[in-house]
Amino acid sequence: MSRKLMSRKLSRRTLLAGTAAGAAVALGRFPAPAIAQAAPFKLGLLTVKTGPLAQGGIQMEQGVLTYLKEKDYTMGGRKVDFVSADTGGNPAGTKTKAQELIERDKVDVILGPLAAFELLAINDYIREQKMPTLSLAAADDLTQRRANPFLLRASATSSQAMQPMGHYAATELKLKRVVTVSEDFAFGYEQMGGFQAAFQKDGGCVVNKLWPPLVTPDYTPYVAQISDCDGVCQGFAGSNPLRFMKAYASAGLKYPVVTGETGGDDALLKSFGDEAVGLVSCCPYTLDLDTDGNKRFVDGMLKNYDTVPGFYSAGLYVNCQVVDAGLKAAGGNAGDKDKLMAALRAVTLTDTPRGPIKFDHLGNIVGNFYVRRIETSGAKYGLKLWNKTIKTYENVSQFWTWPEAEFLAHPVYSRDYPPLTKC
C-alpha cells in the first residue's frame, strides 16, 4: 500500500474516531474546534511530470514528500492528506487540476504550480475561491501590480534572481555587451527583463535578445546568432539548460555564460558535462549552503530518492515549512481562509534550506540569493561538478535596489520591455 493511500486511510479512521468521541461528549467539556481538528489537513500540489519542465516538476513533488516524511505527515498538529496533480505543463491542464483539487478533493492549501504561465491561468480562480496558494511559479506581477491576497510566494519572482545576476555581471565579471537567450514565454521574458534592467543600471548593454520556443529540438540556429558581445545570459528551465549548454559548446563559443535560478540548477549537476564548467548562476538555493537546515533537507532527499536536490525541491520543502508554521500559528484551523492567509504571510523562518526568509507586504519572499560558479573541485555526493558559492546577496526583495514605487511605475517585464537600445 502506498504511503499516500495509507495516510488517507489513517486520516479517515482518525476522523471517524474523533467524530464518535465528539458525539459521546457533546454536552461535556470538549469544545467544537477540537472535533474539527480530528479531520486531516488536505494539502494539494500542482506540478508537472511530463514534457520539458518535468525535471523540475518531479523534484517539486519530492521536496514536498521529503518534508512530510520528516514530519510523519503532520503539519500544525494535524495529520496531512496529500494529493498531487500533474498539470501537463500547460494552462488548460493547470486550470482543470486546480478545479479538481478545490472542488473535488476539498484541499485546504495548494502548493505550486511550476510555470509562470500556469499561475497566470489560475490566478483569478484561486482569488475567487479564496484558496491559499503557495506558488513556486514566478509570475512577477501577481505579487506586484496585480497582487493576489491569497497568493504567497516563498520561492522568487522570475526576475528576482536575475537582478542581482545583472549587477554581478556588470560590476564583478566586468561584462559590457551581453546577448540574452531564453524560452519564448512569460518566465523567460521576466528573467531577461530583470537581468537587462539591472545590468544596464550598472553600465552594461544588452545587444540582442533571442527567444527559442519552449519545445525546441535544436538550439544550433539560435547559438549561431550569438555575436558582437563579451558574454551570454541564458534563462532556460527544466532539462533545457542541458541541451543549450551542449549546443553552445559544440559551436565553439567561448563567451562566459551567466544564468538565473533554473539555468544552473544543482539538480542538473549530475547531467552536465565539461560544457558547463565556469557557468555562473544566481539562485535562492544552493547545495553547498553549510547550515543545519540545508543538511537536513539534503540528507532527506538522498535517503528518500537517492538524488541531489536543487531549487525546485528546495522551494517546495520551504513552502511546506511555511504552511506548517502558519497552520500552527492559526491554531490548526484552516477553515477561516482569511485568518490562515494572515498567519502564513506573517511567517518568518531562520532554519530553511535556503537560509532566513520573510515576506513583504505583497506576499513575496525576502531572502538570500547566492551567486555560484560550476567547478570541477569540491564536489560531494558522487558528483563530478559542483556549484561553489562565490557571493551572497542578503535580504533581496523583488524590487532589487529600486524604491518600490519607482519599480512599480514601470511596465511589467516583457518580451519587449526593457527595449533594446543602441550600445
Side-chain angles (χ1 to χ4, degrees), residues 181-185 210-216 219 222 236 244:
V181 53
S182 189
E183 288 111 342
D184 193 6
F185 70 129
L210 306 175
W211 306 109
L214 177 59
V215 181
T216 296
Y219 288 115
Y222 297 92
F236 293 100
F244 173 78

Side-chain angles (χ1 to χ4, degrees), residues 137-418:
D140 281 23
D141 216 24
L142 302 190
T143 56
Q144 294 176 6
R145 301 159 194 83
R146 295 193 290 152
N148 182 339
F150 291 93
L151 177 68
L152 192 66
R153 183 156 36 219
S155 52
T157 67
S158 306
S159 59
Q160 198 167 356
M162 278 298 197
Q163 289 168 164
M165 186 73 260
H167 173 267
Y168 187 87
T171 61
E172 301 203 33
L173 294 179
K174 306 299 183 182
L175 301 181
K176 298 296 183 183
R177 300 167 60 84
V178 164
V179 171
T180 68
V181 53
S182 189
E183 288 111 342
D184 193 6
F185 70 129
F187 180 56
Y189 307 154
E190 292 172 1
Q191 282 194 98
M192 295 303 109
F195 175 85
Q196 183 181 352
F199 185 58
Q200 291 183 168
K201 184 172 186 275
D202 289 305
C205 183
V206 171
V207 298
N208 197 8
K209 297 191 277 190
L210 306 175
W211 306 109
L214 177 59
V215 181
T216 296
D218 182 8
Y219 288 115
T220 301
Y222 297 92
V223 171
Q225 298 177 59
I226 297 174
S227 63
D228 191 28
C229 63
D230 59 4
V232 173
C233 178
Q234 60 99 340
F236 293 100
S239 58
N240 286 344
L242 300 171
R243 298 192 301 107
F244 173 78
M245 293 305 295
K246 284 181 170 59
Y248 185 81
S250 294
L253 297 182
K254 300 297 183 182
Y255 307 119
V257 181
V258 300
T259 188
E261 60 203 28
T262 58
D265 188 43
D266 293 294
L268 298 175
L269 291 172
K270 63 182 182 296
S271 302
F272 273 136
D274 290 344
E275 72 280 352
V277 174
L279 176 65
V280 176
S281 63
C282 184
C283 189
Y285 171 75
T286 186
L287 184 61
D288 70 347
L289 185 62
D290 189 17
T291 64
D292 290 341
N294 190 40
K295 290 174 183 176
R296 185 169 60 249
F297 162 64
V298 174
D299 288 347
M301 286 288 292
L302 291 170
K303 175 184 175 182
N304 294 321
Y305 301 104
D306 192 28
T307 191
V308 172
F311 163 73
Y312 298 95
S313 53
L316 268 293
Y317 184 98
V318 173
N319 273 338
C320 287
Q321 288 183 292
V322 173
V323 172
D324 197 353
L327 185 60
K328 183 178 180 181
N333 180 12
D336 188 324
K337 302 302 185 186
D338 292 295
K339 289 184 178 178
L340 179 58
M341 277 308 304
L344 291 169
R345 285 172 173 255
V347 168
T348 61
L349 299 171
T350 57
D351 192 28
T352 82
R354 60 177 290 176
I357 64 165
K358 58 185 178 181
F359 297 97
D360 65 20
H361 70 104
L362 295 170
N364 194 73
I365 200 162
V366 177
N368 293 350
F369 282 71
Y370 306 94
V371 177
R372 304 95 52 79
R373 182 174 54 239
I374 293 183
E375 299 184 351
T376 56
S377 61
K380 300 179 183 178
Y381 313 119
L383 296 171
K384 294 181 180 179
L385 299 178
W386 189 248
N387 268 320
K388 179 182 178 181
T389 298
I390 52 180
K391 186 178 181 68
T392 299
Y393 289 93
E394 297 181 345
N395 293 311
V396 176
S397 90
Q398 61 181 326
F399 306 117
W400 184 225
T401 59
W402 288 281
E404 179 180 331
E406 179 183 335
F407 186 100
L408 295 179
H410 296 152
V412 66
Y413 294 135
S414 67
R415 202 177 195 272
D416 301 310
Y417 183 82

Side-chain angles (χ1 to χ4, degrees), residues 1-11 65-74 79-82 304-305:
M1 183 183 296
S2 72
R3 182 60 183 268
K4 186 171 83 173
L5 291 175
M6 185 181 298
S7 173
R8 286 186 171 183
K9 290 193 174 186
L10 286 173
S11 298
L65 291 172
T66 293
Y67 187 82
L68 291 177
K69 290 176 182 180
E70 180 184 318
K71 298 296 182 178
D72 194 26
Y73 280 74
T74 301
K79 282 295 182 181
V80 174
D81 189 350
F82 174 58
N304 294 321
Y305 301 104

Side-chain angles (χ1 to χ4, degrees), residues 81-160:
D81 189 350
F82 174 58
V83 185
S84 181
D86 181 4
T87 67
N90 65 77
T94 306
K95 181 68 177 292
T96 297
K97 293 302 180 181
Q99 290 172 326
E100 290 177 358
L101 288 178
I102 294 172
E103 298 173 26
R104 182 191 68 192
D105 299 313
K106 308 296 184 184
V107 299
D108 295 302
V109 167
I110 286 178
L111 305 178
L114 184 154
F117 57 77
E118 293 182 296
L119 181 58
L120 290 167
I122 64 170
N123 180 59
D124 290 341
Y125 177 67
I126 62 177
R127 183 196 295 262
E128 292 164 4
Q129 296 293 318
K130 301 182 72 172
M131 174 53 56
T133 302
L134 281 80
S135 177
L136 182 80
D140 281 23
D141 216 24
L142 302 190
T143 56
Q144 294 176 6
R145 301 159 194 83
R146 295 193 290 152
N148 182 339
F150 291 93
L151 177 68
L152 192 66
R153 183 156 36 219
S155 52
T157 67
S158 306
S159 59
Q160 198 167 356

